[in-house]
Amino acid sequence: MSLSRRDFLRYGMAAASTAVASGAIDLSPVEAAATSLRIKEAKAFPGVCPYCAVGCAQLIYVKDGKIVDIEGDPDAPHTEGALCPKGSSTYQLSLNERRITKCLYRAPGETTWEEKPLDWMMAEIAQRVKKTRDASFVEKVRVGARDVTVNRCEGIAWLGSSVLDNEENYLIAKLARGLGLVNLENSARLCHSATVPALGATFGRGAMTTNLIDVQHADVIMPTSNWAECHPVSYKWVMKAKERGAKIIHVDPRFTRTSATADIWVPIRSGTNIVFFGGLIHYAIESKKYFHDYVVAYTNASLVLDPQFKTPTDLDGLFSGFNPAIRSYDQSTWKFQLDADGYPKKDPTLRDPNCVFQRLRRQYSRYTPEMVERVCGIPKELFLKVADIYCSASGPDKTATVSYALQLNQSTNGVQQIRALCMLQLILGNIGRPGGGVVALRGHSNVQGATDFGTLYHMLPGYPAAPLQGPHPTLTDYLEKTTPKGGYWVNNPKFVVSLLKAWWGPAATTANDYAYDYLPKREKADAYSHQHFVVGMYEKKVKGFICMGQNPAVDSPNAKMARQALRNLEWMVVVDLFETDTAAVWKEPGIDPKSSQVEVFYIPGAPAAEKDGSITNTMRMAQWHVRAVEPPGDARSDAAFIVDVGTRLKALYAGSKARRDRPVLDLVWDYQPQGPKQEPNMELVLKECNGYTTEDLTDKDGAPLYKKGEPLKTFGHLRDDGSTACGNWIYTGIYPEEGKNMALRREKPKAGDYLGHGWGFAWPANRRIIYNRASADPSGKPWSEKKKLIWWDAEAKKWVGNDVPDFSPTMAPDAPRAKDGPFKGVSGTDAFIMNPHGLGQFFASIVDGPFPEHYEPFESPTQNLLSKVQTNPLAKVYNIGDLNKLGTPDRYPYILTTYRLTEHHAAGMSRHVPWLSELFFGHFAEIGPEMAKELGIRNGDMVTVETPRAKIKVRALVTERIQPFMINDKKVYQVGIPWHWGYQGVMQSARGDVTNDLVASLGDPTTFIQESKALLCNVRKEA
């Protein structure tokens, strides 16, 4: 738009006229005109917001090599051009006086940073990695009567990031595994790690089942997190549903911005969600509001269990098989009765006392409305009202959507809290259908992608398990023990062999089991997570640390201990945009810098606007952002750092004849770095992730299918004979032809395609709602016209509709169970193809129980009212002495929960952005008026909040948003504290005590995620 001075004045006069008429000044015409002036003649580049995982698409405007403006992309189907305060401030991630653009070095014991050349820094970093790897490398161990090659390095930890791109996380996973690193994590461990096993065990994949846009078709929506505040742009779809008549039920300990939009706010005590969801399951069964036909057809409710299996209802809090000596379960009774063909027996009537449905019914028979009231603090009448509304959103014509975030994840019962939510959706028939689903709301831009690409200690890219030395000494052992007999995971050998070929290329041959020995083997499952290696740092067992785009000095549980652990390191590398609390841990206020001998290398990084790559948002959709400008100074992409380190290490090991060094030397590592900063070609990385052929391929009839080196179009073409290489099978199709980057697509939705299939790429196979076979009845017809998505076209002999079928597109509804092939064990009615029996799973093998059972948080104001077992008997308690003391209600009488704010982000990126930092006066704790009156605290007073681990000082925000609970007839007060603050920040209001200092070192038994939403604390007014 061209705007003259006269036009500007005309807009100004229009604004003044509006002010006279309405009594308010409307500056929007002037603001729009000013923006138009700023971007005139600027070139627009596609971008993606780097904050939360809604993945708001952006347009980055560049003029004369500089960013002049960043706006939301109005064509984006999921965000429609909107940005929240954080997204609107991304301009200041690139243009910011606090941004560091030179390499900084801190020598051991020194008190100041020293600028160093980039080449010197990279050479020194490579030397430190090699030295520590060589000193702490374990090549072989004795397991029983055999020597097992484990190729494991435990002396280095690498913390990737949920704000790094997919390709960057993939490069970290590849290089780290090549080096033998087992201490490999990203921030997903601390926020959403409980999601993957919970959703995976229930549905087959550990990812959000639906699409944000589809939420508008829900009849009832139940957020169990602060959706409106933490993921504000996506909340528009909730509000559109409300405009259509949907009811919103908000379940949260605090009254928040989400509560303000809800029809009903349900206050719930933190850590008791299993009781709430279990109560809803009990209500749905006993009131017969569950979707009977869906449950019989698409879940394992009808499968018949071993009569020796017992639930906590039978055994007062424990499942059958518990061994108290080792705090573990013998799962030998956790099994089905089998028919003559080796398939579980079925009872379609759901009446057999040993069928899953009846065992489920018995398990939750204790979870009555009265028990919900006593444990959760939800009045019985309110619970019954909510139960009737939510459970009525079931059947052919109605669906409900439920969302969750960290309130459920961050718990010693984290996996099971989410499992309970999933099972509720399953029994109501709300999975795979329009307006249904589980919305897993991720807090970092690429939590989903970082997890998908395997920068987590326990898994490889695409979700194969990272091998263990005991059960997986050889490739044959590994594949036999990790590949099921039915369901789409029968293709696991294709995924794993293709991954090994992508990593070690010509060195991975049939003769050496495709270089399987090169993969590091874990010693045990109870090791190597974020909390494990922080303890290892504290104990000086972990010597070196690479930290990229994360701030463990603030986001770690028991963060005060974690900071001392960082100071105990021999060396540390930090790659970031700003001087984070982690980078400055050696000079933390109150700490003598000379007391820490950690050697620190700070490498300046680049935000999304300054590099190429893809980010996968919370609904599994990858979007590509294009480098709009060159990073300033020594700053460059994280990918450039990773590729540079790998290249230098290969050179350092070039003369080695040792077999232990072959995984580094044989690593395929040519990404064509270009330019003065040696930026790698990111589409080459994307192609490797997508997969390509290593030789000419033909189909089963001998017809040519691919030439050598061509990208694969579908994961259905992967093979286990070394003829395909693929870095992450679930992303196959994202780069189906040379130069065709599906993540870069930005097509406006076509008529009838409300899910926007032409925008980006959603794994798997661009499906927008997974498990969508369940949107049709067993015969292939839609359950109803109102809720149809895909259906069987008998004439065309294929599935058709409004989404890509999550199923073989030509498998008829009456097709029998396949005896072999890629869909082995799957029949025409199996909607959950990733599960062994093709069914949604109420009964599933989770280490702490096949059904969710309530246990109290380790710090609780009450005894467990449901059984004699107080806390999760398998939960991890880290043995670090007085640093991990636990509180009791006699000394710490108040419940403490932590949370996020719209205006800030995670562990501190926003604290370096002036536009965001000035929006809050400083760190604070929310306290209810009644509690404040008892303690003599007034709004604005400074208070000390204390747990057995630490004390922090914050300002009191006395508010009615925080209400007390009646727990087992006793009034219990709660305190809420956001966790964004730390000692680094652009202004005083951005700096404050670290909330996570208060959190204990505890872990869910499956994922070792911490318990930071349900603590006990004491509060006192500062004199």
Side-chain angles (χ1 to χ4, degrees):
M1 175 181 178
S2 177
L3 191 72
S4 65
R5 181 173 179 274
R6 182 174 295 176
D7 292 328
F8 187 86
L9 291 173
R10 179 165 55 84
Y11 279 118
M13 291 298 293
S17 300
T18 302
V20 171
S22 65
I25 298 176
D26 179 11
L27 294 177
S28 55
V30 178
E31 291 168 350
T35 299
S36 297
L37 275 175
R38 189 163 62 250
I39 65 175
K40 183 182 179 182
E41 299 176 357
K43 183 177 180 180
F45 292 83
V48 182
C49 178
Y51 282 104
C52 86
V54 173
C56 295
Q58 296 179 324
L59 293 174
I60 302 169
Y61 290 94
V62 175
K63 187 187 295 186
D64 300 326
K66 295 181 180 179
I67 296 173
V68 295
D69 192 36
I70 298 178
E71 298 178 353
D73 190 331
D75 292 338
H78 61 300
T79 56
E80 299 180 324
L83 295 174
C84 79
K86 290 191 289 287
S88 299
S89 74
T90 50
Y91 176 88
Q92 286 195 325
L93 294 179
S94 289
L95 286 86
N96 188 317
E97 291 181 355
R98 287 183 61 82
R99 185 175 175 189
I100 298 175
T101 61
K102 295 292 185 183
C103 295
L104 301 178
Y105 173 70
R106 187 262 180 171
E110 287 298 317
T111 59
T112 58
W113 288 110
E114 179 183 358
E115 284 190 13
K116 291 285 189 180
L118 176 61
D119 186 67
W120 182 90
M121 293 279 283
M122 295 305 301
E124 293 296 312
I125 290 167
Q127 289 282 2
R128 300 302 182 280
V129 173
K130 182 179 185 300
K131 179 182 177 181
T132 307
R133 176 185 183 267
D134 292 348
S136 61
F137 198 81
V138 180
E139 186 173 359
K140 290 181 181 290
V141 298
R142 193 77 174 171
V143 179
R146 68 189 298 181
D147 288 330
V148 176
T149 300
V150 296
N151 278 345
R152 184 170 69 230
C153 168
E154 297 185 350
I156 302 173
W158 195 325
L159 194 58
S161 174
S162 296
V163 297
L164 267 60
D165 293 340
N166 288 322
E167 297 74 22
E168 291 169 335
N169 275 284
Y170 173 72
L171 291 170
I172 291 173
K174 183 176 180 179
L175 180 58
R177 299 302 189 193
L179 291 168
L181 270 57
V182 282
N183 294 308
L184 175 63
E185 289 278 68
N186 69 61
S187 45
R189 178 66 56 201
L190 302 181
C191 62
H192 259 278
S193 61
T195 284
V196 173
L199 272 69
T202 312
F203 309 128
R205 304 182 183 96
M208 178 171 158
T209 70
T210 186
N211 185 291
L212 291 169
I213 302 168
D214 186 65
V215 172
Q216 66 184 305
H217 295 126
D219 298 288
V220 182
I221 301 167
M222 184 163 66
T224 66
S225 66
N226 189 4
W227 190 342
E229 181 145 13
C230 297
H231 305 85
V233 172
S234 67
Y235 202 68
K236 67 167 58 188
W237 302 109
V238 178
M239 298 309 293
K240 287 189 177 185
K242 187 172 184 178
E243 290 170 6
R244 293 176 50 255
K247 296 291 185 183
I248 303 174
I249 300 168
H250 185 219
V251 184
D252 196 289
R254 302 178 302 123
F255 187 92
T256 68
R257 289 170 174 169
T258 305
S259 313
T261 71
D263 297 279
I264 303 173
W265 171 48
V266 184
I268 184 173
R269 176 167 67 96
S270 293
T272 65
N273 295 80
I274 290 174
V275 181
F276 176 71
F277 295 129
L280 290 175
I281 292 169
H282 170 75
Y283 180 89
I285 292 173
E286 299 309 323
S287 64
K288 294 183 169 54
K289 287 184 178 292
Y290 65 95
F291 193 171
H292 176 274
D293 292 352
Y294 181 106
V295 167
V296 171
Y298 298 138
T299 79
N300 68 2
S302 65
L303 303 192
V304 182
L305 291 164
D306 185 329
Q308 299 303 310
F309 168 72
K310 303 297 180 185
T311 72
T313 301
D314 307 304
L315 301 177
D316 199 9
L318 296 169
F319 294 92
S320 52
F322 182 68
N323 184 336
I326 59 173
R327 297 176 58 244
S328 181
Y329 280 107
D330 172 356
Q331 299 186 14
S332 58
T333 63
W334 302 8
K335 62 184 180 182
F336 300 110
Q337 298 180 41
L338 304 179
D339 62 21
D341 296 324
Y343 195 81
K345 292 180 179 179
K346 281 188 176 183
D347 172 29
T349 70
L350 305 183
R351 293 173 184 167
D352 188 309
N354 290 316
C355 76
V356 170
F357 182 81
Q358 291 298 335
R359 292 300 185 91
L360 179 75
R361 184 179 189 181
R362 179 163 175 74
Q363 164 67 4
Y364 295 111
S365 62
R366 296 166 292 147
Y367 291 59
T368 61
E370 293 79 11
M371 185 61 75
V372 171
E373 180 172 42
R374 292 176 66 200
V375 176
C376 303
I378 302 170
K380 177 182 175 181
E381 295 75 16
L382 176 59
F383 173 77
L384 288 171
K385 179 180 180 181
V386 167
D388 182 66
I389 293 172
Y390 194 80
C391 294
S392 295
S394 178
D397 294 310
K398 288 189 176 182
T399 49
T401 295
V402 64
S403 78
Y404 74 94
L406 305 195
Q407 184 67 225
L408 270 62
N409 268 280
Q410 292 176 337
S411 165
T412 49
N413 305 304
V415 171
Q416 298 288 22
Q417 289 201 132
I418 301 167
R419 270 272 290 154
L421 171 151
C422 294
M423 288 163 52
L424 173 66
Q425 287 297 77
L426 205 56
I427 205 164
L428 297 177
N430 283 330
I431 298 298
R433 303 177 61 210
V438 172
V439 177
L441 291 166
R442 317 290 188 132
H444 287 78
S445 59
N446 203 32
V447 173
Q448 183 65 60
T451 304
D452 296 340
F453 281 90
T455 47
L456 292 167
Y457 79 92
H458 70 290
M459 53 175 276
L460 303 173
Y463 298 95
L468 288 156
Q469 66 184 33
H472 310 136
T474 69
L475 179 62
T476 299
D477 293 318
Y478 173 84
L479 293 177
E480 284 181 354
K481 292 176 180 175
T482 61
T483 305
K485 304 302 181 186
Y488 204 77
W489 272 109
V490 299
N491 297 285
N492 188 43
K494 301 174 184 177
F495 310 150
V496 173
V497 171
S498 295
L499 175 66
L500 295 173
K501 285 296 292 183
W503 285 6
W504 287 292
T509 66
T510 306
N512 69 357
D513 275 347
Y514 303 103
Y516 175 77
D517 273 356
Y518 288 7
L519 276 179
K521 315 298 184 297
R522 295 178 289 153
E523 178 186 0
K524 56 186 177 180
D526 185 3
Y528 314 123
S529 80
H530 181 115
Q531 293 200 74
H532 283 92
F533 68 62
V534 167
V535 171
M537 293 172 183
Y538 184 82
E539 295 174 344
K540 300 185 179 181
K541 295 175 182 177
V542 175
K543 310 291 186 179
F545 182 41
I546 301 174
C547 181
M548 304 181 70
Q550 194 168 335
N551 192 9
V554 169
D555 67 19
S556 295
N558 209 338
K560 184 178 179 181
M561 179 276 291
R563 291 194 297 279
Q564 184 55 54
L566 293 171
R567 288 189 285 268
N568 285 354
L569 289 163
E570 291 182 2
W571 58 266
M572 175 171 66
V573 179
V574 175
V575 184
D576 219 302
L577 306 178
F578 305 103
E579 186 186 28
T580 64
D581 308 82
T582 299
V585 72
W586 51 276
K587 57 175 179 174
E588 175 187 350
I591 298 294
D592 179 3
K594 296 179 181 179
S595 67
S596 173
Q597 297 301 305
V598 61
E599 184 181 27
V600 186
F601 301 86
Y602 180 92
I603 303 289
E610 298 171 9
K611 58 185 180 180
D612 296 323
S614 66
I615 291 172
T616 302
N617 76 350
T618 201
M619 60 189 195
R620 299 169 286 101
M621 184 177 71
Q623 299 175 95
W624 191 268
H625 54 84
V626 174
R627 183 171 61 206
V629 295
E630 292 294 326
D634 289 333
R636 55 181 183 163
S637 71
D638 298 271
F641 169 82
I642 302 159
V643 171
D644 195 348
V645 170
T647 301
R648 291 172 186 268
L649 285 165
K650 285 171 76 72
L652 289 174
Y653 280 109
S656 173
K657 303 298 182 183
R659 182 164 178 76
R660 60 191 275 167
D661 299 330
R662 293 316 310 175
V664 179
L665 291 169
D666 291 339
L667 202 66
V668 175
W669 203 248
D670 182 12
Y671 299 109
Q672 300 178 6
Q674 299 172 355
K677 295 189 178 182
Q678 292 292 283
E679 290 286 349
N681 183 335
M682 298 313 292
E683 285 205 347
L684 276 181
V685 184
L686 184 66
K687 177 183 175 180
E688 182 176 317
C689 297
N690 173 88
Y692 59 90
T693 60
T694 62
E695 58 188 63
D696 292 350
L697 289 189
T698 60
D699 64 18
K700 62 181 180 179
D701 298 320
L705 195 61
Y706 293 100
K707 293 287 188 183
K708 179 181 179 180
E710 286 186 340
L712 296 166
K713 293 179 169 58
T714 167
F715 47 70
H717 292 160
L718 289 171
R719 300 186 181 180
D720 59 5
D721 59 2
S723 60
T724 58
C726 178
N728 190 338
W729 74 274
I730 62 175
Y731 280 77
T732 304
I734 196 171
Y735 194 81
E737 301 172 16
E738 290 292 353
K740 190 172 185 179
N741 183 345
M742 303 293 274
L744 187 54
R745 293 184 306 167
R746 294 208 167 191
E747 300 172 11
K748 293 183 70 173
K750 298 175 182 176
D753 182 19
Y754 77 94
L755 293 172
H757 288 82
W759 190 278
F761 175 87
W763 72 262
N766 208 30
R767 294 168 186 139
R768 303 298 162 126
I769 297 176
I770 46 180
Y771 319 115
N772 55 32
R773 168 65 180 89
S775 68
D777 67 18
S779 72
K781 297 177 182 177
W783 288 107
S784 69
E785 279 297 306
K786 180 182 177 183
K787 296 291 181 178
K788 72 178 185 178
L789 183 62
I790 67 166
W791 54 91
W792 176 252
D793 185 329
E795 287 189 15
K797 295 184 178 180
K798 65 179 182 179
W799 290 88
V800 298
N802 302 319
D803 199 5
V804 179
D806 191 9
F807 198 72
S808 173
T810 58
M811 182 179 283
D814 59 357
R817 195 178 302 129
K819 297 186 182 300
D820 50 34
F823 287 91
K824 181 181 177 182
V826 176
S827 75
T829 57
D830 291 337
F832 297 87
I833 62 170
M834 303 306 295
N835 282 339
H837 305 118
L839 301 169
Q841 299 189 139
F842 293 113
F843 186 89
S845 181
I846 302 290
V847 296
D848 50 347
F851 295 133
E853 167 70 1
H854 170 71
Y855 302 109
E856 283 293 320
F858 270 70
E859 294 186 335
S860 170
T862 182
Q863 291 296 305
N864 189 354
L865 301 179
L866 279 146
S867 78
K868 67 180 181 182
V869 184
Q870 177 69 7
T871 57
N872 191 325
L874 274 67
K876 177 73 174 179
V877 181
Y878 289 86
N879 183 16
I880 46 176
D882 289 348
L883 295 171
N884 199 27
K885 286 183 178 178
L886 298 176
T888 54
D890 55 332
R891 291 193 59 192
Y892 301 93
Y894 310 117
I895 299 169
L896 169 62
T897 192
T898 64
Y899 54 89
R900 287 177 48 184
L901 304 166
T902 297
E903 297 82 1
H904 272 298
H905 183 256
M909 186 159 67
S910 54
R911 285 189 275 118
H912 300 274
V913 175
W915 292 348
L916 295 173
S917 294
E918 65 188 7
L919 296 176
F920 272 92
F921 58 81
H923 202 1
F924 62 93
E926 288 189 289
I927 300 171
E930 192 175 343
M931 175 181 165
K933 184 177 180 181
E934 284 190 12
L935 297 178
I937 296 171
R938 301 176 65 178
N939 193 48
D941 285 347
M942 291 301 296
V943 297
T944 294
V945 180
E946 180 181 6
T947 72
R949 278 80 56 192
K951 303 175 184 178
I952 65 170
K953 293 183 180 181
V954 290
R955 198 169 296 278
L957 177 58
V958 180
T959 171
E960 293 182 352
R961 293 189 296 267
I962 295 285
Q963 296 289 334
F965 295 103
M966 291 299 296
I967 305 300
N968 196 24
D969 299 324
K970 178 185 177 183
K971 183 180 288 186
V972 180
Y973 294 116
Q974 65 169 330
V975 178
I977 306 181
W979 68 276
H980 305 293
W981 275 264
Y983 44 87
Q984 295 288 100
V986 67
M987 57 187 70
Q988 185 58 45
S989 64
R991 298 188 289 272
D993 287 354
V994 177
T995 302
N996 280 328
D997 286 3
L998 303 174
V999 178
S1001 296
L1002 303 167
D1004 173 277
T1006 301
T1007 68
F1008 305 109
I1009 194 170
Q1010 75 280 7
E1011 188 155 77
S1012 52
K1013 296 303 180 189
L1015 315 171
L1016 289 180
C1017 71
N1018 208 340
V1019 179
R1020 69 172 184 272
K1021 181 180 176 179
E1022 284 293 296

